[in-house]
Amino acid sequence: MEINCTKHNLITEETVFKAEGEAEVNTAVPIPVGKQLARVLKCSLKASVTATPISDKTVTVEGPVTLSVICLDTENRLFSLDKTVTFSKAFEAESSLVGSEVIACIGDEKLTAEPTDSGKIDLLGSICLSVILKKPTTEGVICDIDCKNVEQQIKSSGITSPIGRGEKNLIAEEEISVGNGQPSVDCVIRSRADSVIEETGIVGNKVMIKGIFKIYVLYLPEEGTRPQSFEESYPFSQLIEVDGITENCRVCAESRVVFCELTPRPDIDGDLRTFTANLKLTVSVKAYCDEELPLVTDAFSTAGGLELTTKELYFSHIKENINERFIARKELEFTDGAIGSVIDMWCESRGSSCRFEEGQFKIAGTILVNLLAYDCEGVPNCYERPVDFEYIRPLSPSDLPLTADYRCTVMNASYTIMGANTISVAVEPTVEATILENRRLTLITDAATTAERTSSDSSSIILYFADAGEDIWDIAKRYNSSLAEIKELNGVTEDILPEPKKFLIPTK
């Protein structure tokens, strides 16, 4: 029995390695000459992943870390210390990782600061890391079997294949100014840059990304002791090429500020009112394409002697892309006299988790609100208060397991002083999420002939009593009979029997 199989190549991804770990950062920063440290008010770090080299069974996650410390001197004036170092964390696997794609994420970041007698501040930080490696594979699956005695069941299946990834770095140089009428800068106390994607699209074989990044600066003016602030928002756009992408594909995208460096630019009078902001932004995309394919889901030979090879394959489908802002509100309590006036407020993520329940996508997490404020005696201090939040998004029904790639970024926050001991805050996170439907399909990858039954010149008819709900394909396969002949002989057209029926089944 000669057999010819037509195959279609499907692209799938297999997770080959998954791990979590912690990278430590240990360094010191000198206290400026002429400054007498009274106490450390706030210390923080921000890390970014810029490289993930693979060497056989080892993947290394590397990137810059910006360490920041806000201090108070003995004259109750604020000043800050900053230092940028690098981190590196190696993960070991049991098998080769070469050819894999790396997804590395940064979780909680912690930093402690300890003044020393030598005029320095020791900084000890930790960065929680998670790494997933996926290896793309191509698997040929059968979409048609050409053989005289072979019965095949062909069904149209919606398959989502990962087409590829793309990444691009955007280097921006922007001029940022304190504004007309504002005092000039003595020293910068705190600065931060964040980004968010607002729109994605496909143009030809490229992914179009549009978003904004925001730069914020808190500084101490030369005249007076009360800090001032200014911020600017800038639009950005990128075209990222992804091989094989079409307008029928869907993409998930992410942007991250890798670093932002401020360089002062004094004017002709020596006043510092302008900075040059050098910023590096990384934008990454992943493309999926949907295909409707005819695939052989089952087959047998009426003459016997057919052996099928099957394989379970894993597929992900983008169900929904989310880019949405919401507001989390909370009234923060303080002791008497703690808050005289607020200097600055900013937010840091302190972990979150997502779940799917009752047709909804939910993210629960905590945002740490930082308040730099004067107390009632005019002494600066820094306060931290957690704000718990829950984001809920209704989803259309799905019978498949769901997963999510998501990120919460706080781009805006505001406060209202409600009384002597209470401040109401409104935090506005942006949720960027890709909801994925996941399924495993057992597909036929090969078919081969084995020894056939001894042929007989005589035919016979079997009387079979079928129950309601039985699949005629299953009956034909059980008796190695032709599906078309069973339907014709018994005068039925449906595949699933709506009610019990007496069947005549031709066999050889």
Side-chain angles (χ1 to χ4, degrees):
M1 180 173 65
E2 292 186 2
I3 184 169
N4 294 310
C5 297
T6 302
K7 293 187 175 183
H8 182 89
N9 288 330
L10 293 181
I11 302 173
T12 63
E13 281 185 325
E14 180 185 2
T15 299
V16 295
F17 182 70
K18 185 185 287 188
E20 295 181 350
E22 190 174 274
E24 293 187 352
V25 178
N26 191 357
T27 187
V29 289
I31 298 172
V33 176
K35 287 288 185 183
Q36 297 294 321
L37 176 69
R39 67 180 191 272
V40 173
L41 299 184
K42 173 70 178 179
C43 57
S44 60
L45 68 80
K46 181 174 177 162
S48 298
V49 176
T50 55
T52 54
I54 295 174
S55 176
D56 194 18
K57 299 180 182 179
T58 303
V59 57
T60 304
V61 181
E62 304 170 346
V65 184
T66 301
L67 310 169
S68 303
V69 185
I70 299 176
C71 304
L72 190 67
D73 67 15
T74 53
E75 296 179 355
N76 290 333
R77 283 177 62 89
L78 294 167
F79 69 97
S80 67
L81 305 172
D82 296 287
K83 188 172 184 178
T84 299
V85 297
T86 59
F87 76 90
S88 179
K89 175 68 177 179
F91 296 88
E92 299 290 338
E94 295 181 355
S95 57
S96 177
L97 302 174
V98 176
S100 301
E101 295 178 341
V102 184
I103 305 170
C105 299
I106 293 176
D108 287 342
E109 303 160 314
K110 298 177 182 178
L111 183 66
T112 58
E114 292 292 337
T116 67
D117 295 334
S118 59
K120 296 181 179 181
I121 298 178
D122 286 337
L123 301 176
L124 180 61
S126 63
I127 306 160
C128 292
L129 300 169
S130 64
V131 62
I132 299 174
L133 279 81
K134 296 186 175 183
K135 187 170 289 187
T137 60
T138 300
E139 192 73 46
V141 297
I142 295 177
C143 54
D144 183 60
I145 299 175
D146 183 14
C147 184
K148 177 182 177 182
N149 296 322
V150 170
E151 295 282 311
Q152 56 183 331
Q153 188 178 52
I154 298 178
K155 291 185 179 179
S156 181
S157 298
I159 301 295
T160 301
S161 300
I163 295 301
R165 299 177 186 269
E167 186 173 281
K168 207 167 187 181
N169 292 323
L170 169 65
I171 306 296
E173 183 178 296
E174 301 288 349
E175 188 174 281
I176 182 169
S177 174
V178 300
N180 295 328
Q182 298 299 315
S184 58
V185 178
D186 179 35
C187 67
V188 173
I189 298 173
R190 189 179 74 84
S191 64
R192 187 173 180 88
D194 288 303
S195 68
V196 65
I197 292 175
E198 296 188 316
E199 183 182 348
T200 62
I202 298 174
V203 180
N205 66 334
K206 295 180 175 65
V207 180
M208 179 271 297
I209 302 291
K210 292 183 179 181
I212 60 168
F213 62 84
K214 179 186 290 185
I215 302 173
Y216 174 88
V217 179
L218 178 72
Y219 71 96
L220 196 66
E222 287 187 338
E223 299 177 2
T225 59
R226 185 176 182 87
Q228 306 287 323
S229 65
F230 59 95
E231 69 178 28
E232 292 287 347
S233 295
Y234 304 92
F236 70 86
S237 61
Q238 286 284 281
L239 285 174
I240 302 176
E241 188 171 342
V242 179
D243 290 338
I245 197 171
T246 68
E247 293 185 357
N248 295 324
C249 296
R250 304 181 73 179
V251 297
C252 49
E254 182 181 42
S255 68
R256 290 188 182 275
V257 176
V258 177
F259 71 82
C260 182
E261 183 180 57
L262 298 178
T263 304
R265 291 182 54 191
D267 59 20
I268 57 174
D269 297 323
D271 293 334
L272 181 53
R273 306 177 58 83
T274 303
F275 292 85
T276 299
N278 293 288
L279 179 140
K280 180 179 179 181
L281 183 73
T282 297
V283 182
S284 58
V285 298
K286 182 174 181 180
Y288 297 84
C289 283
D290 298 330
E291 297 179 273
E292 197 70 27
L293 298 173
L295 299 176
V296 176
T297 57
D298 198 5
F300 65 91
S301 172
T302 56
L306 182 66
E307 182 178 339
L308 302 178
T309 302
T310 62
K311 186 173 183 179
E312 189 178 53
L313 301 177
Y314 178 83
F315 298 92
S316 295
H317 169 75
I318 297 180
K319 178 178 176 63
E320 188 171 348
N321 279 320
I322 298 172
N323 191 311
E324 188 173 20
R325 295 181 182 181
F326 69 99
I327 296 178
R329 303 180 187 274
K330 187 177 181 180
E331 289 192 358
L332 308 180
E333 301 293 332
F334 300 87
T335 58
D336 289 342
I339 304 294
S341 61
V342 176
I343 301 170
D344 190 24
M345 184 180 80
W346 68 96
C347 300
E348 301 170 0
S349 175
R350 278 296 177 265
S352 62
S353 61
C354 71
R355 66 187 189 277
F356 298 91
E357 61 181 24
E358 299 176 352
Q360 296 176 325
F361 171 53
K362 298 181 179 180
I363 302 175
T366 300
I367 294 169
L368 188 66
V369 174
N370 297 273
L371 282 170
L372 186 62
Y374 289 115
D375 64 18
C376 290
E377 297 180 357
V379 179
N381 208 342
C382 193
Y383 305 90
E384 298 177 348
R385 295 291 187 274
V387 174
D388 296 329
F389 69 87
E390 185 175 54
Y391 168 81
I392 300 176
R393 168 89 172 207
L395 298 174
S396 57
S398 176
D399 296 328
L400 298 173
L402 301 177
T403 57
D405 294 328
Y406 73 95
R407 176 180 173 225
C408 293
T409 305
V410 179
M411 297 290 284
N412 297 294
S414 60
Y415 66 90
T416 303
I417 298 177
M418 307 298 292
N421 307 319
T422 306
I423 293 178
S424 176
V425 297
V427 180
E428 187 177 348
T430 296
V431 173
E432 299 170 279
T434 300
I435 310 298
L436 299 170
E437 290 181 320
N438 305 283
R439 61 173 171 163
R440 292 185 180 274
L441 295 177
T442 300
L443 300 177
I444 301 173
T445 58
D446 208 355
T449 58
T450 59
E452 300 180 16
R453 297 193 316 270
T454 303
S455 61
S456 172
D457 293 334
S458 61
S459 300
S460 62
I461 297 292
I462 294 177
L463 182 62
Y464 177 78
F465 293 91
D467 293 327
E470 281 199 63
D471 192 326
I472 300 178
W473 169 266
D474 294 334
I475 299 172
K477 183 178 179 181
R478 187 181 310 158
Y479 293 100
N480 290 326
S481 183
S482 166
L483 180 68
E485 289 182 11
I486 292 177
K487 286 187 173 183
E488 182 180 358
L489 183 61
N490 294 276
V492 295
T493 56
E494 62 270 5
D495 294 322
I496 307 297
L497 293 176
E499 57 187 23
K501 182 176 178 61
K502 182 170 62 176
F503 262 91
L504 298 175
I505 301 174
T507 63
K508 289 186 179 181

